[in-house]
Amino acid sequence: MPESVELSQAESQLTARVSYTPFVNFAIQQNSVPLLSSLVLMNVSDSKAVNAHVRVWSDPPVVAEKMLRVDAIGPGESYAFSDLALTLLRGPLRKQIEREEGHLWIEIAAENFTPIQYPFPLSVLAYNEWCGVSSLPEIVAAHVLPNDPAVERILAEASKLLLEKTKNGSLSGYQSRDPKRAWTQAAAIYYAAARQKISYVNPPASFEKTGQKIRTPEHLLDRKLGTCMDTTALLAACFEQAGLRPVVVLVEGHAFPGVWLVDNSFDDTVTSHASILLNRIKLNEFLVIESTGIAKTPPLSFKIALKQAQIQLQTEASFYFAVDVWAARKIGIHPLSLTEEVSASKDEDINPGRDTLSIGEDLAVPEAVEEASVARSTRLPRDQESAADRLARWKTSLLDLSLRNRLLNFKDRKKSIPLLCPDIAGLEDELAADKAFRLRPKPDAWDTSDPRNATIHQEQTGGDALNEYLQEEMAQRRIRAALTERELSRRLIEIERTARLGLEEGGANTLFLALGFLVWTEAESSDIERRAPILLIPMTIERKSVRDGFRIQRIDEESRINITLLQKLKVDFGITIDALDPLPEDESGLDVPKILRIIRDAIKREPRWKVEEDASLTILTFSRFLMWLDLEANAEELKKNDVVRHLIENSNELFEPEAKFPDLETLDDRYSPSATFCPLHADSSQLRAIYAAAEGRTFVLQGPPGTGKSQTITNLIAHCLTLGKRVLFVAQKRAALEVVHKRLSDVGLGPFCLELHSNKTTKESFRSQLRDALAVAGAGSSERWEADTNRLAEQRKILNDYAHDLHIPRAFGKSAYWIISRLIGQRDDPKVTLDLGNPGKRTAEDFERMQSAVREMAEAARVSGDPAGHPLGAVRLTSWTYGIEDDATKAIQLAVEAYQNLRATSSSVLSDLGLKIEDASLSDFKLAGELTALLETTPSVTQAILSEPPLCQ
């Protein structure tokens, strides 16, 4: 738990008051447990401290350095820092092997003040070390490691055992909904762990208070030594990985696991009373197991392990707490990542070891669990439920009778204000008379700062001084809270904001004044008192100005009894209270004394139960319970609705299987504009939904945000309203209601809308809306409507004819729409001129044939390459004939011979001309030939030329 330390003022003119946790480990870092919970900087000097700062770090370095600053602190003043979240360093804490003593350092400094450092003792625990019961109890769940590799080895062994003994090797948790199967799985896991041959080793003295290292499953199976906490964490991890819900139980000097046989959990993450566990054991819903039974020689049988653990719970004084691991996971306590490297062989041959046991007998389920299993097996699968069973299941799922419900387990929190009310009946009378009260903080009169003594006053006058003062305050329309001014202001702002948001978003009032509380306990042996409000008065809160402060006033809604409490008394304790329906009244409102007297009379035989006449302003929600109440009181009336009756009686069948929805293709032919009353734009899919709703079809209209759902709903309401139908529009949030209502108001249908949410639910508002609706006179005329709708019908026909013509098949069997679309898509492609003849006479078959020819050409081009640059481009053959290969071969041979002759005859000439035959082109050959012919015709010149050097050199 956090320790508070106030630094000595003699050491510095700046000092501090610090609250911190004196130890830190890997589990604290992984689960966001604050190390520093409060830090108040105080200036005890006569000078103003400017630019004051506090520096925080640790040695060893497991805390990242943090700097806290404040501009100035006046003489004698103090400053409480709010941002105290220290960053714990994961790496060093994960590598911490042994406990190490160190310090959390805090340095305080300011301008013209001498800095001073304060060391606070800080224990840095080993990475796998549990802090003990003095720390956050839930943190023990972090040491339950279902994903450790060793857990899989044990579960594999348990699966083999189940397969051998029950012919069903599945570890399926609660899927069968059978406590007997859960019992068998737990037993198999116990014996599979016993086969690991773990030996017991004593834990450190008072380990439950000082803490200890908890060996991981992998470490435990490798070293074969474990304490009760080690074996508890091992079995709990195996249960959790198998889909069962484990519990870690701590008693004085010992630890052992528990496991649920049903898919359930305790109301609280930490259960601090052993009787709660014992009650569940007696109901055959829960087991506790002596985990060290797996480490004895021979191991204890599973049934003996159950008995020994149960005996441990009998001594209430030795019980510390039980942590429900599943509930801890829900609040964010996650398993630590502590996978280790071990040297033991993972393929070790595990013998049935110490097997003086008869495992087959021990897997036989006890008779009591058999009976509980049979009772639960009468619950049919959902597809075989009767209408009554289905309705009962719905009601059970809606009714929250657990201690999580503030209507049964009320606690003072930031959204509640305990009031100092000397007369709750008088307060209710004043509120019923529509009187408003200002909320004021706890009075200074007659407190410790008042020099007067309330006891002396009572002795002298015979009256209660504080009570008289509070009575006088109520007479002045002021009511005092049991809070300081600062705390009251903070809570009032939070409550006003929450109440306003609840009204705006949910459309329901959530602010109530709770009058009278029933103090009750879960069992006779339980010393934990629970408080449940009795009367609930609907309230409103407002603040006209900061100076005026907050005022509360009753709103025009019915006050109610806490029916959830009455149902809890009936179901769990057999206490039925019928005299509160309707609530007794007097001439000023509810008869509060009589109501409390009825409650007292009903619980008078319950030890330590009592009714306290307290008052508290608080935020409460009733939505789920009100739905339960509807099902409880109006089930037969609700069944008159076709949809509700189908869900109750035939939920596995189609609803209206023969129902037909309007066809999109024929909407315009079937529905004329004069019979369509949609004030806003609508496309064909929206119109289809509107017509279907008007015809009584049942459907779900889905669409992402911004797709026109609210617009469609507006049109649907307007259309059905015009046809004389009534429409109930329900939404989870007020904003959705307001969007549709604004649209309807914009088109003139606002007076026909009866708002039944938020502040519109008062009686006066209801009457006002009815008056407005009755005062509306029709401003339009049927003649104008007929003229407008006839014109719309003509325009629609023109558009439909155009669309018909656009899509009718034409040339090549294609529509103009298809052709235009293709042309638009290929507008950047090269244009090719084709002689198609008369396109109008071309059929779809012609088009397919032409497409086939183009595909063949494209395939040929892909194989042979681009025809334009192909070496055989000069070949002009257009058809294939037999013998063409032989002709081509002969032509090629002739070409080769001609080429060789050309080389032979021209090589000398080309050489004389200064050319190489390899580089000569066709034009060179032609030029050489012409030149040679010319020279041959002029012999006299030839001789002269030949005697000179070649011309080409």
Side-chain angles (χ1 to χ4, degrees):
M1 298 296 291
E3 293 185 358
S4 294
V5 181
E6 187 164 342
L7 307 183
S8 172
Q9 297 183 5
E11 297 183 27
S12 173
Q13 295 177 325
L14 283 178
T15 185
R17 184 169 61 250
V18 179
S19 180
Y20 80 110
T21 302
F23 51 81
V24 64
N25 66 355
F26 187 49
I28 287 178
Q29 186 273 334
Q30 288 286 285
N31 291 284
S32 306
V33 178
L35 184 62
L36 188 62
S37 52
S38 71
L39 194 157
V40 179
L41 185 59
M42 298 175 288
N43 183 2
V44 297
S45 71
D46 297 329
S47 304
K48 186 177 183 179
V50 180
N51 293 330
H53 69 264
V54 177
R55 187 165 65 98
V56 184
W57 74 99
S58 72
D59 178 22
V62 294
V63 177
E65 183 176 303
K66 187 179 183 70
M67 186 74 75
L68 304 170
R69 301 179 184 276
V70 58
D71 287 342
I73 304 178
E77 295 181 352
S78 61
Y79 181 83
F81 290 98
S82 57
D83 180 19
L84 296 176
L86 298 180
T87 300
L88 304 181
L89 302 179
R90 181 186 186 279
L93 290 172
R94 174 63 184 83
K95 297 176 182 177
Q96 191 77 21
I97 299 176
E98 297 293 341
R99 179 183 293 220
E100 182 178 355
E101 300 301 327
H103 294 90
L104 181 70
W105 288 89
I106 294 181
E107 179 185 78
I108 304 173
E111 292 184 6
N112 301 322
F113 284 76
T114 302
I116 187 167
Q117 296 180 353
Y118 298 94
F120 296 90
L122 181 68
S123 297
V124 182
L125 309 184
Y127 69 96
N128 61 339
E129 188 169 356
W130 173 54
C131 311
V133 297
S134 60
S135 68
L136 184 70
E138 296 93 328
I139 209 70
V140 72
H143 296 275
V144 177
L145 311 178
N147 298 315
D148 190 283
V151 171
E152 294 185 4
R153 296 163 58 190
I154 295 177
L155 294 185
E157 188 71 18
S159 178
K160 293 178 183 177
L161 185 58
L162 283 169
L163 184 62
E164 176 186 349
K165 302 299 180 182
T166 70
K167 309 304 180 185
N168 181 358
S170 64
L171 293 165
S172 54
Y174 305 110
Q175 290 183 16
S176 65
R177 302 184 182 180
D178 186 353
K180 182 176 68 172
R181 183 63 186 174
W183 193 98
T184 307
Q185 291 179 76
I189 291 171
Y190 175 88
Y191 286 119
R195 291 185 176 188
Q196 308 304 313
K197 302 179 183 178
I198 299 169
S199 296
Y200 178 72
V201 59
N202 284 314
S206 302
F207 79 94
E208 72 280 6
K209 296 179 181 179
T210 61
Q212 70 164 85
K213 289 184 180 180
I214 299 180
R215 296 173 175 87
T216 68
E218 188 81 352
H219 189 127
L220 196 58
L221 266 62
D222 174 37
R223 310 296 167 81
K224 304 298 185 183
L225 290 175
T227 66
C228 60
M229 182 58 82
D230 298 332
T231 54
T232 294
L234 172 67
L235 288 178
C238 293
F239 292 149
E240 184 178 9
Q241 186 68 359
L244 302 173
R245 294 184 177 180
V247 172
V248 176
V249 183
L250 267 296
V251 297
E252 186 176 358
H254 196 50
F256 50 89
V259 63
W260 284 91
L261 298 182
V262 295
D263 190 2
N264 204 344
S265 65
F266 290 116
D267 293 331
D268 299 312
T269 304
V270 179
T271 301
S272 53
H273 205 288
S275 63
I276 298 175
L277 278 66
L278 290 169
N279 289 337
R280 295 292 186 171
I281 292 173
K282 291 176 182 177
L283 292 171
N284 295 299
E285 296 178 347
F286 183 72
L287 300 176
V288 286
I289 308 158
E290 177 51 65
S291 62
T292 60
I294 68 173
K296 295 185 181 296
T297 306
L300 298 180
S301 73
F302 186 62
K303 293 177 183 178
I304 293 177
L306 298 182
K307 291 179 180 178
Q308 289 195 2
Q310 190 170 337
I311 291 172
Q312 296 277 356
L313 289 178
Q314 304 296 336
T315 307
E316 184 77 20
S318 69
F319 183 81
Y320 283 120
F321 55 74
V323 175
D324 192 308
V325 176
W326 183 81
R329 300 288 188 242
K330 288 183 65 177
I331 64 171
I333 306 296
H334 303 297
L336 300 181
S337 54
L338 297 181
T339 304
E340 298 181 67
E341 295 291 337
V342 294
S343 58
S345 171
K346 301 297 186 297
D347 297 321
E348 178 185 356
D349 182 26
I350 301 174
N351 296 318
R354 310 165 184 168
D355 37 4
T356 58
L357 298 170
S358 178
I359 291 179
E361 293 179 2
D362 250 15
L363 281 186
V365 180
E367 183 178 349
V369 179
E370 284 275 11
E371 293 174 355
S373 179
V374 171
R376 288 180 172 267
S377 67
T378 58
R379 302 177 184 177
L380 296 173
R382 293 188 179 184
D383 58 353
Q384 300 179 22
E385 286 178 323
S386 66
D389 293 333
R390 190 172 293 112
L391 192 60
R393 177 169 55 81
W394 291 354
K395 289 192 291 185
T396 301
S397 65
L398 289 171
L399 190 60
D400 182 7
L401 297 182
S402 72
L403 296 180
R404 292 185 292 267
N405 192 338
R406 294 184 67 235
L407 290 167
L408 300 175
N409 187 21
F410 186 89
K411 295 180 180 179
D412 180 29
R413 294 177 179 173
K414 64 180 182 179
K415 292 183 181 179
S416 62
I417 298 175
L419 302 178
L420 298 175
C421 181
D423 181 12
I424 61 173
L427 176 60
E428 192 280 330
D429 290 342
E430 294 294 322
L431 291 172
D434 206 26
K435 302 293 178 58
F437 285 81
R438 291 179 61 197
L439 286 175
R440 303 292 296 152
K442 183 170 61 175
D444 296 330
W446 303 105
D447 67 357
T448 54
S449 63
D450 194 328
R452 298 174 296 171
N453 188 290
T455 303
I456 297 176
H457 175 85
Q458 186 172 7
E459 291 175 353
Q460 292 176 347
T461 65
D464 187 329
L466 180 59
N467 190 57
E468 293 172 358
Y469 175 79
L470 295 175
Q471 288 278 16
E472 180 61 28
E473 285 287 281
M474 282 184 59
Q476 300 298 322
R477 303 286 180 267
R478 294 189 294 268
I479 190 166
R480 293 285 182 166
L483 301 171
T484 63
E485 184 172 5
R486 181 176 182 180
E487 179 64 13
L488 176 62
S489 176
R490 185 181 68 82
R491 292 198 189 188
L492 282 172
I493 292 172
E494 178 70 16
I495 285 176
E496 189 275 335
R497 182 186 66 84
T498 304
R500 175 167 41 82
L501 288 178
L503 197 60
E504 291 175 354
E505 296 183 0
N509 177 63
T510 58
L511 180 62
F512 292 87
L513 177 64
L515 297 181
F517 285 82
L518 172 65
V519 179
W520 62 282
T521 58
E522 294 178 87
E524 292 185 9
S525 59
S526 175
D527 56 2
I528 301 176
E529 293 185 341
R530 315 288 183 180
R531 301 176 77 240
I534 296 173
L535 270 176
L536 302 168
I537 315 297
M539 305 294 291
T540 182
I541 184 171
E542 63 176 358
R543 179 171 61 173
K544 295 181 179 179
S545 67
V546 174
R547 183 183 298 273
D548 186 55
F550 286 94
R551 292 177 182 268
I552 60 172
Q553 190 171 11
R554 187 183 186 279
I555 63 174
D556 190 14
E557 286 185 10
E558 297 294 334
S559 299
R560 61 184 69 179
I561 193 75
N562 184 354
I563 307 180
T564 305
L565 173 60
L566 299 185
Q567 192 67 19
K568 176 75 171 180
L569 296 177
K570 181 179 179 180
V571 172
D572 288 4
F573 301 99
I575 301 174
T576 302
I577 305 176
D578 296 324
L580 296 177
D581 187 17
L583 288 174
E585 297 183 352
D586 54 24
E587 63 278 3
S588 303
L590 294 178
D591 192 342
V592 176
K594 183 175 181 180
I595 293 172
L596 299 185
R597 186 167 60 252
I598 292 172
I599 298 291
R600 286 190 176 101
D601 185 65
I603 57 98
K604 61 186 178 183
R605 292 181 177 83
E606 299 295 328
R608 294 182 295 138
W609 287 30
K610 58 186 176 180
V611 173
E612 294 179 344
E613 297 189 16
D614 293 339
S616 183
L617 186 70
T618 186
I619 297 291
L620 295 170
T621 56
F622 296 89
S623 57
R624 289 172 63 87
F625 179 77
L626 293 177
M627 287 189 284
W628 173 88
L629 195 60
D630 268 346
L631 290 176
E632 179 74 10
N634 304 309
E636 294 304 318
E637 188 67 24
L638 290 170
K639 286 181 182 179
K640 294 179 181 179
N641 180 275
D642 293 339
V643 176
V644 176
R645 185 172 61 254
H646 174 80
L647 291 175
I648 294 176
E649 297 178 354
N650 305 296
S651 61
N652 299 314
E653 301 176 5
L654 292 176
F655 181 75
E656 295 184 346
E658 304 299 326
K660 293 184 179 180
F661 280 73
D663 185 5
L664 285 175
E665 301 297 329
T666 61
L667 284 182
D668 289 348
D669 298 332
R670 183 177 175 186
Y671 304 97
S672 65
S674 61
T676 304
F677 307 99
C678 296
L680 303 178
H681 296 297
D683 61 22
S684 57
S685 64
Q686 293 170 322
L687 284 173
R688 185 190 188 202
I690 293 165
Y691 293 139
E695 293 171 2
R697 300 280 75 80
T698 300
F699 58 92
V700 177
L701 184 68
Q702 292 179 311
T707 54
K709 293 188 296 298
S710 62
Q711 181 173 311
T712 303
I713 293 171
T714 303
N715 279 331
L716 188 152
I717 293 173
H719 183 74
C720 292
L721 182 65
T722 310
L723 296 178
K725 295 178 178 291
R726 290 175 297 173
V727 181
L728 175 63
F729 177 47
V730 181
Q732 187 175 10
K733 294 190 176 181
R734 178 179 174 180
L737 296 173
E738 291 181 338
V739 168
V740 173
H741 181 260
K742 182 179 184 303
R743 289 179 181 271
L744 290 169
S745 298
D746 291 343
V747 298
L749 296 177
F752 300 99
C753 300
L754 183 61
E755 297 182 81
L756 297 175
H757 63 91
S758 63
N759 59 333
K760 304 293 184 179
T761 59
T762 63
K763 294 178 181 178
E764 178 54 36
S765 174
F766 182 82
R767 289 191 291 264
S768 176
Q769 291 183 80
L770 289 181
R771 285 194 298 267
D772 293 342
L774 293 172
V776 173
S781 64
S782 59
E783 292 80 6
R784 175 66 181 275
W785 173 258
E786 291 294 336
D788 288 345
T789 55
N790 288 337
R791 182 173 55 83
L792 178 59
E794 293 174 2
Q795 294 294 325
R796 191 171 74 176
K797 184 177 184 307
I798 293 173
L799 291 174
N800 286 338
D801 290 344
Y802 175 77
H804 178 269
D805 292 343
L806 192 64
H807 291 278
I808 193 172
R810 298 177 183 274
F812 296 104
K814 303 297 181 182
S815 67
Y817 175 83
W818 185 90
I819 295 172
I820 293 170
S821 300
R822 294 294 295 271
L823 289 175
I824 292 174
Q826 296 177 323
R827 58 181 176 272
D828 296 328
D829 293 349
K831 292 180 175 56
V832 178
T833 301
L834 297 176
D835 183 8
L836 300 177
N838 184 357
K841 295 183 178 181
R842 294 286 190 178
T843 64
E845 289 76 12
D846 294 335
F847 182 75
E848 179 60 33
R849 191 163 50 252
M850 294 170 69
Q851 275 192 316
S852 178
V854 171
R855 284 194 293 268
E856 291 177 0
M857 293 172 61
E859 180 63 21
R862 185 186 67 79
V863 175
S864 61
D866 185 7
H870 198 278
L872 299 179
V875 179
R876 300 302 177 186
L877 290 177
T878 59
S879 61
W880 178 268
T881 59
Y882 290 105
I884 193 171
E885 295 182 11
D886 296 336
D887 294 342
T889 301
K890 293 178 181 179
I892 292 172
Q893 291 176 348
L894 292 174
V896 170
E897 292 175 358
Y899 175 69
Q900 292 175 346
N901 291 334
L902 179 63
R903 286 179 60 91
T905 56
S906 60
S907 59
S908 59
V909 175
L910 291 175
S911 177
D912 292 339
L913 293 176
L915 296 173
K916 294 181 179 179
I917 192 168
E918 291 81 4
D919 299 331
S921 63
L922 181 62
S923 60
D924 292 334
F925 280 107
K926 290 181 178 179
L927 179 61
E930 293 174 355
L931 183 59
T932 302
L934 180 63
L935 292 176
E936 287 179 348
T937 58
T938 54
S940 58
V941 179
T942 301
Q943 187 66 35
I945 292 175
L946 293 176
S947 63
E948 296 294 328
L951 294 175
C952 297
Q953 289 185 347

